[in-house]
Amino acid sequence: MADKDSASAQMTTTLDSALGTRDDAPSAAADSVDGGRGSARRVPAALLGVAMAVATLLLAVVALRLGAAGISVEQAVAVVARRLGMIDGSQVSVFDDQIVWQLRLPRVLAALAIGSCLAICGVVLQALTNNELADPFLLGISSGASVGAVTVIVFGVSLPAVALYAAIPAATFVGAIAATVLVLVLARGKSGYLPPGRTILSGVAIAQLCGAYTSMAIMVFGERGTAASVLAWTLGSLAGVRWAQALLLVGTMLVALLVVASAARVLDAFSFGDNAAVALGINVRRARWLLLIVTSLITATTVAVAGPIGFIGLTVPHLVRIVVGPRHSLLLPLSAMAGAFLLLASDTIARSLRDGAEIPIGVVTAVVGAPLLIFLLRRQAAKS
């Protein structure tokens, strides 16, 4: 027992040193983990957090102002302040109140929450699988959600006790969870262990199967315009978000932050591989199962409301990791803030770039995310 405790303590010291969490941590160890970027060159986490919070708040104010209906910053702020009981608000018109409070503010909150959730899930999955290309849709979630959406759009199938307007979100959530369950069942070994490699391949297999179903349903059974409806859903949109969905997403984001923040040390250990996690006394099988299920539920919730939105969960963790390093106690909250900012900026661009029409938000995130991914790949190649 003493030998085991000594080994665990030694491993903990090694982990702290490699992550740069101790004052006497060798810089070389920290450099080896985050790609040779010295800790002295990193931006202080507190300064970065404050800067992103201020930038996000300013962007939110701009997002409340922009749109087909011209509303000034002062009017937008007055509407929110009146609703919060901060001012009398006698000068606020009913029109401004409807536009800002009922339409734009829920959309802003939803964008912030979804961006945070996707970034958090990306951080967790990249650590669990030790795969830099892991993203929230790794487990076939978006493909399963597409099956649910196509089933409703093409065949008109609804769920019992679900209103028609909620049929697609409900079906996409069910499809996403079903696909995740299939992936985990396929990847699971006799002992219940989930090898990262087999989990990824299972996700690819289920994604291909779901893709075949959606293509067949559209081509064989779909009517004219069906393909356009499905394509619009797969590119993502926040156009129909109202307060009920926004509050659901904000609640999901808060729960996600609490759950994964409590597992920051576990994720630090997973970054060094399963053997390091076991040496630190972590139940690898239980931790991986729990975190995969949590990230799947979070992602399924976002997909049910806004459709699959790519690149946020893939690129944001890498960018934040470059700036603050690999320590998850910093990486998780700062990635959540960066993801929120990036998705809100993308949604604001998507609904403001063309008069009278919206660009699918997935197109904007791809335009922003693809160059960032190329930059990351080239950066990695230059060091290999």
Side-chain angles (χ1 to χ4, degrees):
M1 181 65 71
D3 292 341
K4 183 178 179 180
D5 292 342
S6 176
S8 179
Q10 184 177 4
M11 181 62 70
T12 301
T13 303
T14 303
L15 178 63
D16 285 337
S17 297
L19 293 171
T21 59
R22 291 169 62 97
D23 294 336
D24 58 347
S27 59
D31 290 346
S32 68
V33 176
D34 70 341
R37 188 176 181 88
S39 58
R41 296 170 60 190
R42 295 181 193 147
V43 177
L47 177 61
L48 180 62
V50 171
M52 284 198 296
V54 172
T56 302
L57 180 60
L58 294 175
L59 178 61
V61 174
V62 172
L64 290 177
R65 176 189 178 278
L66 294 178
I71 294 177
S72 67
V73 172
E74 293 78 8
Q75 289 171 313
V77 173
V79 169
V80 177
R82 173 181 171 272
R83 284 283 187 166
L84 296 178
M86 299 171 64
I87 62 173
D88 175 62
S90 56
Q91 77 279 11
V92 175
S93 68
V94 175
F95 176 78
D96 290 347
D97 182 82
Q98 289 294 315
I99 294 296
V100 173
W101 187 263
Q102 301 296 343
L103 298 179
R104 293 181 184 172
L105 185 56
R107 182 166 181 160
V108 167
L109 292 176
L112 294 173
I114 291 174
S116 294
C117 288
L118 293 177
I120 290 170
C121 291
V123 171
V124 172
L125 289 171
Q126 287 170 13
L128 289 180
T129 62
N130 217 1
N131 181 356
E132 294 182 346
L133 295 179
D135 73 349
F137 305 118
L138 177 72
L139 302 181
I141 291 175
S142 61
S143 302
S146 298
V147 168
V150 167
T151 301
V152 173
I153 294 172
V154 175
F155 301 107
V157 177
S158 186
L159 298 173
V162 175
L164 182 61
Y165 72 89
I168 291 181
T172 55
F173 184 83
V174 172
I177 295 302
T180 301
V181 170
L182 285 175
V183 169
L184 296 179
V185 168
L186 286 175
R188 179 180 181 273
K190 289 184 178 180
S191 64
Y193 179 63
L194 287 172
R198 193 160 67 221
T199 302
I200 295 171
L201 290 176
S202 298
V204 172
I206 294 300
Q208 292 297 317
L209 184 62
C210 292
Y213 169 84
T214 55
S215 299
M216 181 69 71
I218 294 170
M219 297 298 295
V220 177
F221 302 103
E223 299 177 356
R224 180 176 298 179
T226 299
S229 299
V230 173
L231 177 62
W233 180 86
T234 57
L235 292 175
S237 175
L238 294 172
V241 173
R242 297 296 180 265
W243 274 109
Q245 296 99 317
L247 292 176
L248 171 65
L249 290 168
V250 170
T252 301
M253 177 196 67
L254 294 175
V255 171
L257 275 173
L258 289 174
V259 172
V260 299
S262 65
R265 293 288 296 175
V266 174
L267 294 172
D268 285 341
F270 270 111
S271 298
F272 288 85
D274 289 2
N275 291 335
V278 170
L280 290 170
I282 295 171
N283 188 326
V284 171
R285 181 177 64 182
R286 184 176 63 186
R288 180 172 279 124
W289 269 99
L290 176 62
L291 290 171
L292 285 176
I293 291 172
V294 168
T295 54
S296 299
L297 290 172
I298 294 168
T299 306
T301 302
T302 66
V303 172
V305 174
I309 300 174
F311 283 103
I312 299 293
L314 176 61
T315 57
V316 167
H318 287 295
L319 293 174
V320 177
R321 194 178 288 111
I322 290 172
V323 178
V324 300
R327 185 181 177 188
H328 283 85
S329 59
L330 299 177
L331 184 60
L332 285 165
L334 292 175
S335 293
M337 297 177 71
F341 178 86
L342 182 57
L343 190 57
L344 179 57
S346 299
D347 183 57
T348 303
I349 294 171
R351 64 184 177 84
S352 305
L353 204 57
R354 291 182 58 192
D355 292 334
E358 283 193 19
I359 299 173
I361 191 171
V363 174
V364 180
T365 58
V367 169
V368 175
L372 291 177
L373 180 59
I374 293 171
F375 162 75
L376 292 171
L377 292 174
R378 294 308 307 161
R379 181 178 182 272
Q380 186 183 50
K383 294 179 179 179
S384 60

